[in-house]
Amino acid sequence: MNVRASNDRNSAKRAPHGWRDALVAVLAGTLAMAVTAVLGLWAAGATGLPGGAFPRVAAAVVVMAAGGSVGLAGDAGSLVGARAGLSVLPLSVTLAGALLIAHGFLRPLRHRAVAGGRELAGWAGRVAVLWAVVLVVLSLLARFTFTLPAENLTGDGTGDGTEDAIGDVLGDSARVGFRADLPLTLLFGLLWLAGVLVLALLVSRRAPLPPRLVRFQETVRPAASAMVALLLGSVALGVVAGLVVMVVRGHPAQTLAVILLGLPNLVWLALTLGLGASWEGKVQGPFGLPMPQVLDSVLRTPDLSTVNLRTLAEQDGRVWWLLVVTALLVLGAAFLMAVRSPARMRPWQHALHLAVALTLTVLLIGLTAGLSARYGLSLLGIGDLGGGLGGEVSLRPRLWTALGIAFLWGLVAGFLGGLAATRVHRHGELPPAGPKGPANAG
């Protein structure tokens, strides 16, 4: 015990990282998230929001991207109720921040084989303290209230007496706004950071681990890095597809807004659909999804709709190509995992490792890529007022079915990847001896 404590103290003394490195990592991640959010909102036309709300909206987007909580609220007088809700993770912003924070966290640890548990905990603690300060500042900025003119709620002023009466009730007091929940933002934002740092340690092949965990790196790290490569590879394909759409079909601003705010939401949804998973949701009212028209068409029905390859193919047969692309991506990830694994592992072990890893990846997508948004005004709690403001958008996975399908895909792809890797020189494998081996030398 004394030797281990001494080693931890010695490694902590040798550690090249401190508060300055933590500040650089946190500021780099925050800046990446802020720039991505600002550019995405600019492309979406949010610069025209009244009352100088644009910086506040950008702060709210960064808060949501970091796992924080932003609530919507409305106030339209004593007789008129407002209901609103928003649950969405702008994963483009999330990904930009996560990549830079993870890089900044790992950079001082490079060229190290082993790091003490106290050293890693202290280093992560410095990053967490500064990240908490950033979350507090963003939460204080992410609050704003818009005033809605009564004519926007009751039509164009040419309606019947009922609409005029509603306008008299509302007056100019109708308001809607958003506000970051500071305690929840701190809680979920720090959990988000913990997930990013743990995943960074799991994925990086050069990051040091505490001595007790070194024995797990041969099984966990190849699978984790393969899944990250799968997710980032699908995002890269999505960027290429988005740029092609921007050039061929026009609407560059709208396409750029989707790329900068929600591209991973789209491509990771498509990844699960290509595996055979199903999602369900609906689109009602004037709201729409920043997604392909084929998806909006499937969801815009009176009742809850099912989204899978079959229902999408009824709108556009080219959707079946998702199955082919997904199969190639998963097989590529399986091969990458097997090549990075020790040579002594058998194909059935690769199958089991990939099955678990792909199941966890689909679980992560299901928990982060969904969305829910609703808004409406009602008089005495009954019905929606005019102006077309009432609406709802939702999209959620059928999670248990998706996890089972992912496990089966992982078993098959992992086994095939393990077989393919037997033809490739792998980690820990010695080259075959020549006619005169070491025993015969001399």
Side-chain angles (χ1 to χ4, degrees):
M1 294 297 294
N2 293 333
V3 174
R4 181 176 299 158
S6 177
N7 289 338
D8 283 351
R9 287 194 297 268
N10 291 336
S11 72
K13 291 178 181 179
R14 295 194 306 268
H17 47 75
W19 286 105
R20 184 185 64 180
D21 300 283
L23 181 62
V24 170
V26 170
L27 289 181
T30 304
L31 182 62
M33 298 175 80
V35 169
T36 305
V38 166
L39 292 177
L41 291 170
W42 167 78
T47 52
L49 291 172
F54 181 75
R56 308 280 184 161
V57 174
V61 171
V62 176
V63 167
M64 290 189 293
S69 175
V70 176
L72 302 180
D75 180 12
S78 59
L79 299 180
V80 181
R83 56 181 179 85
L86 177 65
S87 176
V88 61
L89 202 62
L91 288 176
S92 292
V93 182
T94 301
L95 186 61
L99 289 175
L100 283 185
I101 290 177
H103 175 74
F105 177 74
L106 294 175
R107 188 173 181 275
L109 301 173
R110 66 191 188 280
H111 309 310
R112 302 272 301 281
V114 178
R118 292 183 181 180
E119 176 192 350
L120 290 178
W123 172 222
R126 291 183 178 92
V127 177
V129 169
L130 295 175
W131 181 243
V133 174
V134 169
L135 291 175
V136 171
V137 173
L138 290 173
S139 298
L140 295 177
L141 289 174
R143 52 188 63 185
F144 196 82
T145 300
F146 301 91
T147 299
L148 302 178
E151 59 268 17
N152 290 351
L153 303 173
T154 59
D156 57 4
T158 62
D160 55 21
T162 303
E163 291 184 348
D164 295 336
I166 292 175
D168 293 337
V169 171
L170 291 174
D172 58 357
S173 63
R175 294 185 297 273
V176 63
F178 59 88
R179 183 185 184 92
D181 188 313
L182 181 55
L184 287 180
T185 295
L186 277 175
L187 173 61
F188 293 122
L190 290 174
L191 288 176
W192 176 87
L193 177 68
V196 170
L197 300 187
V198 170
L199 186 60
L201 287 175
L202 290 178
V203 170
S204 175
R205 292 185 292 170
R206 297 181 179 179
L209 291 174
R212 292 181 178 179
L213 301 180
V214 170
R215 66 180 183 272
F216 296 109
Q217 67 180 354
E218 291 185 346
T219 57
V220 174
R221 277 185 166 171
S225 62
M227 290 301 96
V228 170
L230 173 66
L231 294 177
L232 294 181
S234 60
V235 171
L237 288 178
V239 171
V240 173
L243 294 177
V244 171
V245 169
M246 188 185 303
V247 172
V248 174
R249 297 186 179 180
H251 307 291
Q254 297 177 9
T255 304
L256 184 61
V258 172
I259 292 175
L260 292 173
L261 294 177
L263 182 65
N265 301 69
L266 277 176
V267 295
W268 294 345
L269 165 68
L271 181 65
T272 62
L273 293 175
L275 292 174
S278 294
W279 292 59
E280 58 185 18
K282 61 181 176 180
V283 176
Q284 293 180 344
F287 299 139
L289 290 169
M291 296 182 178
Q293 182 62 37
V294 58
L295 180 57
D296 188 86
S297 300
V298 171
L299 292 175
R300 198 171 288 278
T301 58
D303 301 320
L304 206 62
S305 301
T306 298
V307 180
N308 53 36
L309 286 180
R310 181 182 57 80
T311 57
L312 291 174
E314 291 174 357
Q315 303 290 329
D316 190 340
R318 292 173 296 179
V319 170
W320 288 111
W321 281 103
L322 277 179
L323 178 61
V324 178
V325 174
T326 300
L328 293 175
L329 287 173
V330 174
L331 287 172
F335 180 76
L336 179 64
M337 181 196 70
V339 168
R340 291 181 174 179
S341 299
R344 65 178 180 275
M345 287 191 178
R346 300 292 180 258
W348 68 267
Q349 293 175 301
H350 294 303
L352 185 59
H353 293 166
L354 189 68
V356 174
L358 188 58
T359 301
L360 292 176
T361 301
V362 170
L363 174 62
L364 178 64
I365 294 174
L367 294 177
T368 59
L371 63 91
S372 175
R374 60 182 176 84
Y375 181 76
L377 294 176
S378 61
L379 184 62
L380 299 176
I382 303 174
D384 286 330
L385 297 180
L389 287 177
E392 182 175 358
V393 177
S394 66
L395 187 62
R396 288 287 180 264
R398 292 178 178 173
L399 197 54
W400 290 110
T401 303
L403 296 181
I405 293 173
F407 191 84
L408 293 177
W409 269 84
L411 287 176
V412 175
F415 188 82
L416 295 177
L419 290 179
T422 58
R423 301 177 178 273
V424 180
H425 180 74
R426 295 153 62 192
H427 174 68
E429 186 177 19
L430 295 176
K436 291 185 178 181
N440 299 324

